[in-house]
Every structure is written in structure tokens, then in C-alpha cells.
């Protein structure tokens, strides 16, 4: 993983793909009957359909990072090294950052289409609970001074919380109906998936945001490792 | 000694210890009593007790059960001294230790939540129409909480934190079970609907099993300092 994080090619790819998705996503017009290259013009959503290129890939990036953090936590418990703990922590922290970005982009979108920043929606509440769980993870980490003990407790909480959260994600849809696109007959991403123009920008955006999040996490983890080594040398 | 026998003896020992230290159980009962009285007083003072909805009854009930469970589980770890823990290391396997803790905490929480339910019925009135569904959801909810919070309290106690840390770590994880249980619980207020063994019941059961399995798998990694 350390070697992969130091390579350049996928970071260059992230820049190219994100520039393509952001510039293209803002430049392509909505469909008014004559354009060749256009996004679908759906009622209610209108121009806010472009949020698909930010909100959804940011959530994907978050899920990807939290999954990596989960894997590193399992790997820590089976063969403990302090590097694995720093990976698990770093991926979770940047995962929270992307979760927060996903919530903010979603809130701005919700204000224009639903008329409120926050609604009592199962998907929103699910996201909020996920954020709470990982903020609790950070608090747990900061409450333990001993490095080995912190790594052990944080890894076990991470695994416990991740499994419980995944179980919850499967339960959510049973609780109530959702306003969220893709539920209960609302204009949905499944119908955009059929749209080739949107797909042309959505897939690069997804790969780009995930690669960017990996890049940020890599820098964050390496900086933290250097900081830790400096502290050790001082003592 | 085989596994089951070890767990049985450990559970008996824990219960005996619990009964010997009467102040712990007494303190928890007082905790429940004074919280219920607090709820009663605030509702009575606002004049909403006469035509109170059953939903409010159930929300207050589950909040009190939740906090009582956190206290039960946290004190079960925090009262263990370093020396006693060393004694346990040499005596039993981590699975025996955590399974006994899970069982004992579930039993104590269950007793306390039934006690809470009785005082609630006595003080705040009785909205229950179907006592079987009421008892079933009460058992599933309380046992599920105590399983979840036993493991979380183990982590919180190991980290040297206080019970506030257990609350911070556990409450986000308790929301899924809470939302299902409140739904099941609400069915016991309705005289028309009988018990249907639908998905909610299975999901509640699942949220009892998942923390149980995870605690058994993960606890061996954290129990030694």
C-alpha cells in the first residue's frame, strides 16, 4: 500500500478525470429538444441534476475509504503493526471528511429541490448516524494515550461499528418511505444511468473523486507517520 | 471443565458478587425510581399526563432503559480491579469471560427494565393492550441493548474513560435497534393488531445476534492490556 500511495500515475489520472467531469459537467446544457450533447431535463431536479457528479461520487469515496479502514483494522488485529493502525485511522478520518462533503453537497441540493436543508428521510438519518459512529471512533482514539492499547481498542471498535452499520443500511429501507431520488417513484439515478451523456461524466467523476480521496488519505497518513517518528526520536 | 460448565460457574459467581454488593443493585434501582419520578413530575407539572399519548410513554420508557443499561454494563467492567483482572486472565478464556458478562448483564438489565415497566404502569398509567407483544419487545430490546453496551463498555473501560465515553460510542450504534423496537413496542398499545411474526421481529432478533457474535469474536483481542 505504501508503494502504491507514492506512485504518480493515478494522481495524474485523478486530476485529468476530475477536470473533465467538473468542466464538462458544468458546460453541457440540459435537454431542450435540439441539443446533441445534453443532460436529461427532469421536472423538480432541473439544473440540480449536475449534483450527481459531486454528491454521489463523494459518498462512494467515503464508503471506499471506510472499507479500507475496516480492512486495515481486521489486518491489525490478526498481525499488529503500528503502521496498519495509522492506515486505519487515516482512511477513517479522510472518510469522515468526504462524508461531510457528501452531506453538504446533498444539503445544498435538498434546499433547491425539497425546499429544506434537512428532512426526516431514512437515507439522511442513516448518513448522520454513520458520521456519528466515526466521530465516536475519533473520540475513542483521542481518549487513549498508550499507542498499542489505542490501536487495539480502535480496531475492535471499528470492526464492531462497521458490521453494525452495514446491518443498519439493510434495515433502513424497511422503516419508512424515502424522498430520496431512487425511492418511491421519485426521479431517480436509475433513470439517469440509461442516459449516456450523464454516464460519460459520472463514471470519470466517480473514479476521480475516489482517487483524489486516496491521494488525500495517503498524504495525511504519511504526514502522521513522520510526525510520530519525530515524536519518538525526541523522547 | 468444558466451556458451558465454566460459563455457568462464572455466571453464578458474578451474580453472587452482584447480590453481595447490594449497594450496586440498590443504586441502579434508585436511579430508575428517581428518573421515572422526574419524568412523572415534569409531565404532571405540564398537565399533559391525563391525555398523554402512548408514544410519549414509550419514548420515555426506552430512554430510561437505555441509560440504565449503559450504567449496568459500564459498572460491570469498571468495578473490576487490576488484581482481579489478572486473576481472571489465569483462570478462564476470554470467551468464557465475555459470554458470562453478556449473560449476567442481560439478566440484570432485564430485571431492571421490567421494574421500570412496572413503575411506569403504576405512575404514568397503563397504555398496554397486548401484554405478550409488550413483554416480547421489552425482552428483545433490553437484551439487545445490554449485549451491545457490554462490548462497548468493555472498550470504554479498557480505554480508561468514563461512562460518558460508553454513551458516545454506543448510542449511534443503538439507534437501529431502537427504531425497530419502538415500532414493535407501539404494536402492543394497539388492541386491534395481533402478533404477526413479520420482518421487524426477525430484524430485532438479528440485532441481538450480531453484537453477541461480534463480542465473542473481538473480545479476545482486547482483553489483555
Amino acid at each position: 500500500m505504501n508503494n502504491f500511495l507514492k506512485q504518480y500515475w493515478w494522481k495524474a489520472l485523478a486530476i485529468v478525470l476530475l477536470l473533465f467531469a467538473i468542466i464538462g459537467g458544468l458546460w453541457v446544457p440540459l435537454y431542450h429538444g435540439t441539443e446533441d450533447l445534453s443532460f436529461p431535463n427532469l421536472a423538480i431536479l432541473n439544473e440540480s441534476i449536475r449534483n450527481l457528479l459531486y454528491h454521489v461520487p463523494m459518498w462512494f469515496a467515503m464508503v471506499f475509504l471506510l472499507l479500507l479502514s475496516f480492512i486495515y483494522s481486521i489486518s491489525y488485529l490478526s498481525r499488529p503493526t503500528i503502521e496498519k493502525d495509522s492506515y486505519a485511522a487515516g482512511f477513517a478520518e479522510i472518510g469522515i471528511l468526504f462524508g461531510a462533503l457528501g452531506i453538504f453537497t446533498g444539503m445544498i441540493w435538498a434546499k433547491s429541490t425539497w425546499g429544506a436543508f434537512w428532512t426526516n428521510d431514512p437515507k439522511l438519518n442513516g448518513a448522520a448516524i454513520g458520521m456519528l459512529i466515526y466521530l465516536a471512533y475519533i473520540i475513542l482514539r483521542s481518549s487513549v494515550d498508550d499507542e498499542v492499547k489505542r490501536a487495539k481498542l480502535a480496531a475492535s471498535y471499528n470492526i464492531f461499528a462497521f458490521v453494525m452499520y452495514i446491518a443498519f443500511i439493510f434495515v433502513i429501507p424497511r422503516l419508512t418511505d424515502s424522498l430520496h431520488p431512487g425511492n418511491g417513484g421519485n426521479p431517480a439515478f436509475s433513470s439517469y444511468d440509461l442516459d449516456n451523456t450523464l454516464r460519460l461524466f459520472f463514471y470519470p467523476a466517480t473514479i476521480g473523486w475516489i482517487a483524489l480521496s486516496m491521494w488525500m488519505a495517503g498524504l495525511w497518513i504519511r504526514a502522521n507517520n513522520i510526525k510520530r517518528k519525530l515524536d519518538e526520536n525526541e523522547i | 471443565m468444558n466451556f458451558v460448565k465454566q460459563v455457568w460457574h462464572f455466571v453464578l459467581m458474578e451474580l453472587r458478587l452482584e447480590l453481595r454488593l447490594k449497594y450496586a443493585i440498590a443504586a441502579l434501582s434508585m436511579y430508575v425510581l428517581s428518573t421515572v419520578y422526574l419524568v412523572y413530575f415534569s409531565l404532571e407539572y405540564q398537565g399533559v399526563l391525563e391525555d398523554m399519548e402512548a408514544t410519549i410513554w414509550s419514548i420515555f420508557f426506552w430512554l430510561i432503559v437505555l441509560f440504565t443499561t449503559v450504567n449496568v454494563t459500564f459498572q460491570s467492567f469498571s468495578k473490576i480491579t487490576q488484581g482481579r483482572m489478572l486473576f481472571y486472565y489465569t483462570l478462564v478464556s476470554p470467551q468464557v469471560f465475555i459470554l458470562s458478562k453478556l449473560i449476567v448483564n442481560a439478566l440484570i438489565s432485564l430485571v431492571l427494565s421490567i421494574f421500570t415497566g412496572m413503575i411506569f404502569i403504576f405512575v404514568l398509567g397503563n397504555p398496554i393492550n397486548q401484554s405478550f407483544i409488550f413483554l416480547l419487545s421489552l425482552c428483545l430490546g433490553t437484551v439487545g441493548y445490554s449485549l451491545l453496551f457490554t462490548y462497548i463498555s468493555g472498550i470504554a473501560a479498557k480505554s480508561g474513560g468514563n461512562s460518558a465515553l460508553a454513551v458516545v460510542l454506543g448510542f449511534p450504534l443503538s439507534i437501529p435497534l431502537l427504531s425497530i423496537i419502538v415500532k414493535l413496542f407501539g404494536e402492543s398499545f394497539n388492541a386491534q393488531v395481533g402478533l404477526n411474526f413479520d420482518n421487524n421481529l426477525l430484524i430485532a432478533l438479528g440485532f441481538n445476534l450480531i453484537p453477541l457474535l461480534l463480542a465473542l469474536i473481538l473480545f479476545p483481542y482486547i482483553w489483555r492490556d
Side-chain angles (χ1 to χ4, degrees), chain A residues 6 12 22 25 32 35 49 53 56 69-70 89 106 119 126 137-138 154 165 175 182-184 228-229:
Chain A
K6 282 179 182 164
I22 290 173
H32 290 294
E35 294 88 346
I49 199 168
L53 304 177
V56 181
S69 168
F70 172 67
T119 61
Y137 172 77
I138 304 271
Y165 188 54
L175 293 177
N183 295 82
R228 196 186 64 236
K229 277 172 191 158

Side-chain angles (χ1 to χ4, degrees), chain A:
Chain A
M1 180 55 90
N2 199 17
N3 279 334
F4 179 72
L5 288 179
K6 282 179 182 164
Q7 281 165 12
Y8 287 110
W9 62 270
W10 56 273
K11 293 167 188 165
L13 187 74
I15 296 174
V16 172
L17 289 178
L18 278 180
L19 281 177
F20 172 72
I22 290 173
I23 295 172
L26 291 174
W27 169 70
V28 172
L30 292 191
Y31 185 72
H32 290 294
T34 51
E35 294 88 346
D36 292 329
L37 189 73
S38 66
F39 290 150
N41 191 0
L42 298 173
I44 305 171
L45 287 179
N46 302 325
E47 293 282 353
S48 80
I49 199 168
R50 298 175 203 279
N51 196 26
L52 179 72
L53 304 177
Y54 303 92
H55 178 64
V56 181
M58 280 168 182
W59 281 121
F60 285 169
M62 178 199 74
V63 170
F64 185 74
L65 289 184
L66 294 184
L67 189 68
L68 279 178
S69 168
F70 172 67
I71 291 167
Y72 269 98
S73 284
I74 293 177
S75 149
Y76 177 84
L77 287 186
S78 62
R79 275 170 204 278
T81 63
I82 207 70
E83 275 72 32
K84 284 177 185 168
D85 178 56
S86 69
Y87 279 119
F91 284 132
E93 280 156 5
I94 302 297
I96 291 173
L97 175 69
F98 271 79
L101 289 174
I103 282 188
F104 285 129
T105 48
M107 276 165 77
I108 295 164
W109 177 87
K111 182 66 184 166
S112 72
T113 44
W114 294 342
F117 283 118
W118 195 265
T119 61
N120 183 23
D121 187 88
K123 283 204 178 180
L124 271 65
N125 290 331
I129 291 169
M131 289 289 99
L132 284 179
I133 290 173
Y134 281 93
L135 288 175
Y137 172 77
I138 304 271
I139 289 182
L140 174 66
R141 291 192 69 85
S142 61
S143 75
V144 189
D145 287 329
D146 182 57
E147 216 168 49
V148 177
K149 204 176 184 182
R150 172 172 60 213
K152 219 162 48 174
L153 293 175
S156 76
Y157 180 73
N158 194 2
I159 296 168
F160 192 84
F162 189 83
V163 175
M164 291 285 286
Y165 188 54
I166 294 296
F168 179 47
I169 297 283
F170 284 106
V171 172
I172 293 178
R174 297 179 182 283
L175 293 177
T176 42
D177 286 333
S178 177
L179 273 175
H180 198 276
N183 295 82
N186 292 306
F189 294 129
S190 59
S191 64
Y192 314 155
D193 286 343
L194 299 172
D195 184 83
N196 281 326
T197 317
L198 210 49
R199 202 190 267 169
L200 177 70
F201 292 98
F202 178 61
Y203 292 158
T206 305
I207 299 168
W209 284 113
I210 289 178
L212 184 74
S213 72
M214 282 289 286
W215 188 358
M216 288 169 72
L219 287 177
W220 179 241
I221 290 163
R222 282 159 63 192
N224 282 341
N225 281 344
I226 290 168
K227 221 181 277 170
R228 196 186 64 236
K229 277 172 191 158
L230 284 177
D231 285 350
E232 277 166 7
N233 288 342
E234 257 171 43
I235 296 162

